[in-house]
Structure formats: C-alpha cells, structure tokens
Amino acid sequence: MAPATSSTSSAITLNINGEKRHLSIDHRTTLLDALRERLDLTGTKKGCDQGQCGACTVLVDRRRVVSCLSLAVAAEGREITTIEGVAEGDQLHPVQQAFLDLDGYQCGYCTPGQICSAIAVIEEHAAGWPSAVTDDAGPEAGPPPLTPDEIRERMSGNLCRCGAYVSIVQAVAHAAEAHAEDRTAATKETAA
C-alpha cells in the first residue's frame, strides 16, 4: 500500500538498477536527493548542485542526466542506472575496468559521474552522433573517429578537480575500443 500523499507530494515508483523502488516524495525533490537521501544510493555524488560539474550524472533510459537538475517525479516509469548498477555482479563494466586499469581517477569523487557519462559517450559515438568537434557530421559519414579531442568534447560536462583528464581520456578510449571489438564480434556471430 502506497503512503498517503498531499497536494505537494506523490507516491511514485522508480525503476533503479533494475529494481522497482516505491516512495512518497515531495514534487520538488531532485532525482539526486531521492537517490542519496531517500534510497541510500550514495555512489552518485552531489558536487555543485547546479548542473555544472557532472558529479551527479546518472543514466536515464541510457542517456546522460545530471540528477541534481532532474526532478524525481519526472523519472517515474523510466529506466534509471546509477553507478551501483553498471557492473554485472562481481564483473566490472568495461568502463569501470578501464578507469581502474588506466588510473582514470584520483580522489574518486567525480568518478561515478565520469563513468556514467563515459558509458553514454561510447553509446552515442557508436550510434554516429556528432559532437561540436566532429568534422563531417553527415549521416553517410558514419561514426567519427573517437580521437582524444572527440572524447574531451563529449566528456566536457564532467569536471575533475584533481585533473585526471589525461587518464580519463585514455580510459574512455580503451573502453570504446573494447566496445567496438565486442560489436564487431557480435555482428560476425549474427552473420554466421
């Protein structure tokens, strides 16, 4: 049974990391505060609380969202993935593994948001989405090469106060290469 609500709150169900979570929430509550304060999913970090640093980035329907600017009630019925949900059990997501292998973190505070953004960046790139630095953005051009400039532009909404940008770019590039290899192998299996 859902808790009673008032005119300024609603009973909602959020689908977070594949699990339905029910709560009664004030309409003004951000997705970030619902995750951290109401659902104890503290991997998503509160940085600037103004949408400028990317520390609170999560995936909503596989797209990047700064959760400090998103209302929790607006996320009802959508698929939300936080840093706690990107791994498959004990198996790290390839982006997480790349960050670990290539030191794509220092203090680690921005790392959850960086990883969620990087997952979306790799998917956006594979789908052929151009960025502000893409030379040929025509549909027939296909995905642009994922150069360090492309990665930096695509990840520019995520700040790292420690300055681990060189390692972050390397980690994203490494994970993108692995993702491309997996897609190629899957295409060959389907064709066979």
Side-chain angles (χ1 to χ4, degrees):
M1 178 128 193
T5 60
S6 71
S7 62
T8 61
S9 65
S10 294
I12 65 172
T13 301
L14 297 177
N15 181 9
I16 303 169
N17 303 324
E19 181 182 337
K20 301 241 186 259
R21 307 288 296 266
H22 308 283
L23 62 155
S24 178
I25 196 155
D26 185 288
H27 295 154
R28 299 165 294 182
T29 304
T30 64
L31 180 56
L32 173 62
D33 287 339
L35 293 170
R36 291 184 58 79
E37 306 299 328
R38 300 292 306 279
L39 300 171
D40 294 322
L41 294 168
T42 57
T44 304
K45 302 302 183 206
K46 184 177 274 204
C48 67
D49 214 18
Q50 298 176 4
Q52 296 179 3
C53 73
C56 68
T57 302
V58 298
L59 302 174
V60 177
D61 294 335
R62 300 178 62 164
R63 304 265 322 258
R64 301 181 265 179
V65 170
V66 285
S67 60
C68 72
L69 295 183
S70 303
L71 295 176
V73 294
E76 185 170 28
R78 300 179 74 192
E79 181 184 331
I80 303 162
T81 305
T82 67
I83 192 66
E84 292 92 348
V86 299
E88 294 284 334
D90 290 338
Q91 181 69 36
L92 293 178
H93 186 282
V95 174
Q96 289 175 302
Q97 190 63 55
F99 268 70
L100 185 63
D101 293 344
L102 297 166
D103 295 327
Y105 58 90
Q106 284 186 19
C107 78
Y109 197 81
C110 71
T111 304
Q114 297 273 2
I115 288 171
C116 286
S117 277
I119 291 168
V121 160
I122 292 167
E123 290 292 327
E124 291 163 7
H125 173 262
W129 294 14
S131 78
V133 299
T134 302
D135 288 331
D136 185 1
E140 63 283 344
L146 196 56
T147 64
D149 283 343
E150 278 283 342
I151 294 169
R152 282 191 285 275
E153 172 61 27
R154 291 168 186 265
M155 292 291 293
S156 65
N158 291 82
L159 303 179
C160 174
R161 293 182 180 171
C162 298
Y165 296 113
V166 171
S167 297
I168 290 168
V169 169
Q170 291 172 348
V172 173
H174 181 75
E177 288 172 19
H179 183 263
E181 290 170 5
D182 289 346
R183 286 174 54 114
T184 301
T187 302
K188 287 180 182 177
E189 284 180 19
T190 304

